[in-house]
Amino acid sequence: MPPLVEAGMLVIISGPSGSGKGTVVKRLSPENGYALSISVTTRSPRVGEEHGRDYFFATEDEFKKMRAENELLEHAAYVGNFYGTPRAYVEEQIENGKIVVLEIDVYGALQVKEKFPSAILIFLIPPSLPELSARLNNRGTEDAVTIDRRLKKALEELPLINRYNYLVINDDVPDAVNKINSIVTAERLKPARSAKIIEEFIASKPVNRNAKES
């Protein structure tokens, strides 16, 4: 009999700019069953980007059709282009037992949660607001006005943390990754996520090695 298939799931990781969520997500190894969600976008491919690997590239009409037919778990407009998370891709990866990781903001995460109630929401924050401010300043890539805007947005998002399933403090990247791995392991062990495993277990034939042949 083939080995039992572990239950897949959708994990959403959010956090303010400077929380280190991008760095943490990159450390979630495919060897441990993780698969990064691929977004669909209306912007043109950049040099080196491939359809189906970096993004699913679509025309504006195709995107609007996907949105109208409820084929997107969430969507947003940014700098004149549309971005969204295709439901079919996520569901296919989960069916294959993958842990699909989606790195999006709070509002997108709550959109997904409405359409995909089994999604696990993890909010990532640094140890303190002064640390967050220091990280943004140490980047050296943004001016004071942009940093101030990012800090204000972080304060606006904090009251929504209670709508998340877990809070992880990112004081140390390897430690934050280990905590996320522990969350995923615990979630995978919940019977509600293991219907397929239970069905396969029941369907398997027991072997009584002590039974006498007639």
Side-chain angles (χ1 to χ4, degrees):
M1 180 179 175
L4 299 178
V5 178
E6 291 190 68
M9 69 179 73
L10 175 60
V11 175
I12 300 174
I13 298 179
S14 304
S17 180
S19 63
K21 58 185 180 296
T23 301
V24 167
V25 166
K26 288 177 182 177
R27 299 282 189 95
L28 298 175
S29 173
E31 295 177 358
N32 292 330
Y34 290 101
L36 297 184
S37 176
I38 301 176
S39 298
V40 58
T41 181
T42 58
R43 77 162 173 77
S44 300
R46 293 171 182 159
V47 176
E49 289 183 334
E50 292 183 14
H51 178 80
R53 185 193 69 183
D54 302 286
Y55 285 94
F56 295 114
F57 295 100
T59 65
E60 189 168 321
D61 286 341
E62 289 170 338
F63 189 96
K64 289 179 178 179
K65 184 173 183 290
M66 292 179 71
R67 186 175 60 192
E69 295 181 357
N70 199 29
E71 294 178 8
L72 300 174
L73 291 176
E74 58 84 31
H75 56 85
Y78 181 72
V79 194
N81 292 300
F82 293 113
Y83 295 82
T85 301
R87 179 193 294 270
Y89 176 81
V90 170
E91 291 179 344
E92 178 186 357
Q93 295 301 308
I94 291 174
E95 181 65 24
N96 291 332
K98 296 294 185 180
I99 308 156
V100 182
V101 180
L102 186 54
E103 180 194 337
I104 52 176
D105 69 9
V106 171
Y107 304 103
L110 296 179
Q111 278 188 58
V112 176
K113 188 69 173 178
E114 288 182 5
K115 299 178 181 178
F116 211 105
S118 63
I120 298 303
L121 273 57
I122 301 173
F123 200 91
L124 199 70
I125 59 171
S128 65
L129 282 173
E131 172 64 18
L132 178 61
S133 178
R135 290 182 185 183
L136 291 172
N137 279 283
N138 290 337
R139 283 178 174 179
T141 58
E142 296 166 332
D143 57 31
V145 174
T146 302
I147 291 173
D148 185 58
R149 186 168 63 246
R150 293 194 184 280
L151 290 171
K152 287 180 179 178
K153 183 178 180 182
L155 289 172
E156 291 173 0
E157 292 177 344
L158 292 179
L160 297 173
I161 291 179
N162 287 334
R163 299 181 66 177
Y164 276 63
N165 301 106
Y166 298 94
L167 174 66
V168 172
I169 297 175
N170 183 21
D171 192 19
D172 176 75
V173 171
D175 182 58
V177 171
N178 286 337
K179 287 176 180 175
I180 292 172
N181 286 333
S182 296
I183 289 169
V184 169
T185 298
E187 286 291 333
R188 269 189 150 170
L189 294 174
K190 290 183 176 180
R193 292 185 180 274
S194 305
K196 189 171 183 178
I197 292 177
I198 294 169
E199 288 175 6
E200 292 181 10
F201 180 82
I202 293 173
S204 63
K205 295 181 179 180
V207 177
N208 185 351
R209 300 188 184 282
N210 294 320
K212 294 181 179 180
E213 295 183 2
S214 55

mmCIF file of all heavy atoms in Angstrom, residues 32 74 112 153 177:
data_model
loop_
_atom_site.group_PDB
_atom_site.id
_atom_site.type_symbol
_atom_site.label_atom_id
_atom_site.label_comp_id
_atom_site.label_asym_id
_atom_site.label_seq_id
_atom_site.Cartn_x
_atom_site.Cartn_y
_atom_site.Cartn_z
ATOM 1 N N ASN A 32 10.539 20.582 3.043
ATOM 2 C CA ASN A 32 9.595 20.364 4.137
ATOM 3 C C ASN A 32 8.143 20.460 3.678
ATOM 4 O O ASN A 32 7.233 20.521 4.495
ATOM 5 C CB ASN A 32 9.845 21.364 5.267
ATOM 6 C CG ASN A 32 11.174 21.120 5.961
ATOM 7 O OD1 ASN A 32 11.654 19.990 6.026
ATOM 8 N ND2 ASN A 32 11.791 22.177 6.470
ATOM 9 N N GLU A 74 -8.032 36.504 -3.555
ATOM 10 C CA GLU A 74 -7.903 37.918 -3.188
ATOM 11 C C GLU A 74 -7.331 38.636 -4.396
ATOM 12 O O GLU A 74 -6.714 38.029 -5.265
ATOM 13 C CB GLU A 74 -7.016 38.106 -1.949
ATOM 14 C CG GLU A 74 -5.607 37.555 -2.062
ATOM 15 C CD GLU A 74 -4.630 38.506 -2.739
ATOM 16 O OE1 GLU A 74 -4.823 39.733 -2.599
ATOM 17 O OE2 GLU A 74 -3.690 38.052 -3.395
ATOM 18 N N VAL A 112 -8.920 36.373 1.817
ATOM 19 C CA VAL A 112 -8.709 34.946 1.589
ATOM 20 C C VAL A 112 -9.414 34.121 2.656
ATOM 21 O O VAL A 112 -10.034 33.097 2.362
ATOM 22 C CB VAL A 112 -7.203 34.612 1.572
ATOM 23 C CG1 VAL A 112 -6.996 33.102 1.441
ATOM 24 C CG2 VAL A 112 -6.508 35.332 0.423
ATOM 25 N N LYS A 153 1.082 52.793 8.909
ATOM 26 C CA LYS A 153 0.310 51.656 8.409
ATOM 27 C C LYS A 153 0.422 50.478 9.367
ATOM 28 O O LYS A 153 -0.552 49.754 9.614
ATOM 29 C CB LYS A 153 0.801 51.253 7.021
ATOM 30 C CG LYS A 153 -0.027 50.118 6.415
ATOM 31 C CD LYS A 153 0.430 49.742 5.024
ATOM 32 C CE LYS A 153 -0.423 48.603 4.471
ATOM 33 N NZ LYS A 153 0.008 48.170 3.130
ATOM 34 N N VAL A 177 11.450 30.959 11.866
ATOM 35 C CA VAL A 177 11.177 29.872 10.930
ATOM 36 C C VAL A 177 10.808 28.598 11.686
ATOM 37 O O VAL A 177 9.859 27.883 11.325
ATOM 38 C CB VAL A 177 12.396 29.614 10.013
ATOM 39 C CG1 VAL A 177 12.201 28.337 9.193
ATOM 40 C CG2 VAL A 177 12.619 30.804 9.091
#
